[in-house]
Amino acid sequence: MKCITIKSLFTVVTSALLLLSTLNAQAGQNSAPVLLYHHVSKDTPASTSVSPETFSEHMAYIAENHTVLPLSEIVDAARNGESLPDNALAITFDDGYANILKNAHPVLQQHGFPYTIFINPQTIDSRADQLTWQQVETMSEEGVTFANHTADHLHMLDRKPDENEKDWLRRVWQNVEQAQQKLASHINEPKKYLAYPFGEYNQRLAQKVKQAGYVGFGQHSGAIGPHSDFAALPRFPSAGPYATLKSLKTKMNSLAMPVSSSTVANPEFSRDQQPETVSLTIEGDDVRLSQASCYYRGSAIDTRVEKKTLTFTLQSAIPTGRSRVNCTAPSKAHSGKYYWYSQPFFVAGKDGNYPD
């Protein structure tokens, strides 16, 4: 009787381990978060800055708890459904500020972390707060990746008076191509990566990014995974109000929500045509949808789940500028990890333009 009990116990444990292994495979460590910084300085705008001391604290924590990979490795793995270390992440900067070289680069080099800077070529070598081309070339030789952030950091969704969609798209895409050509004149074969200034994009621009063979990056939150939109990949803002390491730790451990479809086809809305209810279809069995929550402007909003559909409702009009709803749900297989999805919304002012 005792032998049967031990055998039965062994069978139960083995079955449990197999189930856990299956859940881990379903959860797929084929996703990873990407951090976004701008300034590393005490003397720059607080909303986009992190102090050198806080940045060093972030990097020290990452060195102890994460594997930093080149952005391209995470993008390629997610696209191909390949596995990644379960603690992988990437580090990026928008805008080629000189304080990145002064205050961030030595720390990143010390830890041996690869990272990417999205730059505006027209501002390089022409403003005192920006890197020089010589510095860009030297940093590139040291392993830093530089990529396209448009030529001059324009609001890509701004429309000129009486400008139709065709003319608008031609104008903004010329800006992207000019930036890519300038990058190529200083860096060997720059990747076709584009970070949207201010994170602003719409459906038509995302289509153009795909058609032209680029990968697009926004400023909304979440990890990158196989179900991500590779014309508008999410990144976690990590400066200003988002620089607190306590909350950033959760984001560093996040998983990409496997959203296979959304009722939002275009994140840009007019002032009088806005969504009230948004539904997301979630794939896989590892997302604990019964505990899903969505948040808008720091507060929980009405969130409902029916089978594999997650629905949230906005109770107020989306204001001018940039907004987003973040939805999270725990992983069944990975204790303490959350799936994360962010839906951005963009609304122009009365003049058809966007605020900084």
Side-chain angles (χ1 to χ4, degrees):
M1 187 72 179
K2 184 177 181 181
C3 292
I4 294 174
T5 302
I6 293 173
K7 182 177 180 180
S8 299
L9 179 61
F10 177 78
T11 300
V12 170
V13 171
T14 301
S15 298
L17 289 172
L18 286 171
L19 176 60
L20 182 59
S21 176
T22 300
L23 286 172
N24 270 293
Q26 291 174 341
Q29 288 299 287
N30 52 8
S31 74
V34 177
L35 305 184
L36 166 62
Y37 295 93
H38 286 79
H39 291 283
V40 180
S41 174
K42 293 180 179 179
D43 304 317
T44 45
S47 62
T48 54
S49 299
V50 61
S51 71
E53 293 78 12
T54 299
F55 184 78
S56 292
E57 182 185 11
H58 288 185
M59 296 306 109
Y61 174 81
I62 290 170
E64 289 290 328
N65 298 279
H66 292 273
T67 300
V68 179
L69 297 177
L71 181 61
S72 60
E73 287 192 21
I74 289 175
V75 170
D76 292 346
R79 267 185 151 169
N80 299 322
E82 297 170 351
S83 62
L84 287 164
D86 63 7
N87 59 356
L89 59 78
I91 298 168
T92 67
F93 294 81
D94 278 4
D95 311 325
Y97 293 114
N99 58 56
I100 298 171
L101 175 59
K102 179 181 178 182
N103 298 324
H105 184 69
V107 178
L108 292 158
Q109 289 288 93
Q110 174 190 342
H111 291 295
F113 291 164
Y115 68 101
T116 297
I117 308 178
F118 291 93
I119 61 174
N120 310 107
Q122 285 189 14
T123 64
I124 299 298
D125 237 350
S126 65
R127 280 176 25 186
D129 65 342
Q130 293 282 307
L131 296 167
T132 67
W133 280 117
Q134 183 177 356
Q135 290 170 335
V136 168
E137 291 167 3
T138 300
M139 293 169 74
S140 178
E141 291 171 358
E142 294 174 351
V144 180
T145 298
F146 288 89
N148 197 329
H149 198 33
T150 73
D152 56 358
H153 207 277
L154 77 167
H155 284 277
M156 298 188 80
L157 301 186
D158 280 2
R159 301 292 183 95
K160 292 185 176 181
D162 302 322
E163 187 176 49
N164 61 36
E165 182 177 77
K166 184 177 180 180
D167 291 339
W168 158 76
L169 187 60
R170 182 187 300 113
R171 173 176 58 82
V172 298
W173 199 251
Q174 284 176 346
N175 188 292
V176 172
E177 290 182 329
Q178 289 168 3
Q180 193 72 9
Q181 290 167 6
K182 188 68 172 177
L183 273 169
S185 70
H186 290 275
I187 296 169
N188 185 36
E189 297 183 353
K191 289 188 175 296
K192 296 180 79 171
Y193 286 177
L194 171 67
Y196 301 112
F198 307 99
E200 296 165 354
Y201 70 97
N202 61 16
Q203 184 183 32
R204 187 66 191 91
L205 183 55
Q207 289 173 344
K208 181 64 178 178
V209 165
K210 289 180 180 178
Q211 291 167 1
Y214 280 74
V215 175
F217 296 86
Q219 293 185 12
H220 50 294
S221 303
I224 294 174
H227 289 84
S228 297
D229 180 359
F230 287 85
L233 293 173
R235 294 178 293 165
F236 280 108
S238 307
Y242 307 107
T244 303
L245 187 55
K246 182 179 179 180
S247 62
L248 201 56
K249 288 177 182 179
T250 300
K251 298 171 183 178
M252 291 179 189
N253 281 296
S254 66
L255 300 166
M257 186 83 79
V259 175
S260 61
S261 66
S262 169
T263 55
V264 177
N266 186 358
E268 185 181 29
F269 290 87
S270 65
R271 299 172 67 83
D272 56 353
Q273 291 184 331
Q274 299 191 1
E276 294 181 359
T277 300
V278 174
S279 293
L280 309 171
T281 303
I282 312 299
E283 296 292 326
D285 298 319
D286 188 59
V287 184
R288 200 180 296 279
L289 282 175
S290 61
Q291 296 179 27
S293 299
C294 296
Y295 301 86
Y296 175 61
R297 309 189 83 178
S299 299
I301 58 175
D302 179 39
T303 306
R304 301 180 303 283
V305 174
E306 184 176 352
K307 295 183 179 179
K308 293 290 186 177
T309 301
L310 171 64
T311 300
F312 61 81
T313 301
L314 296 168
Q315 301 292 344
S316 59
I318 301 169
T320 297
R322 302 166 290 277
S323 305
R324 63 179 178 235
V325 170
N326 293 327
C327 296
T328 62
S331 164
K332 296 177 183 177
H334 302 282
S335 177
K337 288 199 171 191
Y338 285 81
Y339 286 93
W340 193 298
Y341 183 82
S342 183
Q343 175 59 62
F345 299 103
F346 308 108
V347 177
K350 293 180 179 179
D351 60 356
N353 294 324
Y354 284 80
D356 288 346

